[in-house]
Amino acid sequence: MTAPHTGGCCCGAVRFQASAEPHHISYCHCGDCRRASGAPVSAFIGFTADQIALEGKSLKSYRNGPVARSFCGICGSPIAYSDERLAGHIYFTLGAMDMPAYFRPTLHAHVREQLPFLHMPDSLPRHLKTSVARPDAQSPSYGTQS
């Protein structure tokens, strides 16, 4: 599928459009994403921020350390996250895309935190921690890929 790629929340109050192809599509098994999504695993699609048009007065955000998660303040749909250590990038929830079936994840991240009953028998690469290097002198574990 070629750009533009569109998506939004459940009620339609928040909409976004990406004018280019994504640079990252992955599953995340970390506890933070699990709590934010309410699902046993999350999937994200990453773009550079300058490729995104995001609109909706109901867009709200919650910050947890360097990560800001956006959601619709009306229907509560999770929309995206950004990480201040990854300046210029935004990662939308795959479920917020209008055509999510067109974006096949290419890897699993944080598989150390994968729930024991969740079995995903694919042949995708599995990273014990993050799959995207995050420069952070305070936390040497960030950016470690296994």
Side-chain angles (χ1 to χ4, degrees):
M1 183 172 193
T2 58
H5 305 297
T6 58
C9 67
C10 194
C11 73
V14 174
R15 296 292 302 159
F16 60 86
Q17 178 173 302
S19 61
E21 297 306 308
H23 62 73
H24 185 90
I25 308 170
S26 69
Y27 292 112
C28 184
H29 298 273
C30 82
D32 191 52
C33 287
R34 210 171 26 250
R35 283 183 290 281
S37 69
V41 65
S42 296
F44 293 98
I45 179 167
F47 298 93
T48 58
D50 62 356
Q51 300 169 328
I52 300 300
L54 182 60
E55 57 187 43
K57 292 180 181 177
S58 68
L59 188 67
K60 304 290 183 193
S61 68
Y62 170 76
R63 180 167 291 281
N64 182 11
V67 176
R69 295 184 182 275
S70 60
F71 59 95
C72 175
I74 296 171
C75 68
S77 296
I79 302 296
Y81 84 88
S82 60
D83 186 323
E84 64 188 28
R85 297 164 296 180
L86 301 172
H89 296 272
I90 187 167
Y91 297 84
F92 289 96
T93 57
L94 191 58
M97 300 301 295
D98 289 340
M99 305 293 273
Y102 288 123
F103 305 103
R104 184 180 302 251
T106 60
L107 59 91
H108 293 264
H110 294 280
V111 295
R112 277 190 179 160
E113 299 180 52
Q114 183 173 335
L115 295 174
F117 60 80
L118 181 66
H119 301 285
M120 300 177 75
D122 55 48
S123 59
L124 297 177
R126 283 164 160 67
H127 298 264
L128 293 178
K129 295 182 179 180
T130 185
S131 60
V132 179
R134 289 165 169 83
D136 185 348
Q138 306 296 309
S139 297
S141 64
Y142 283 112
T144 303
Q145 294 185 19
S146 299

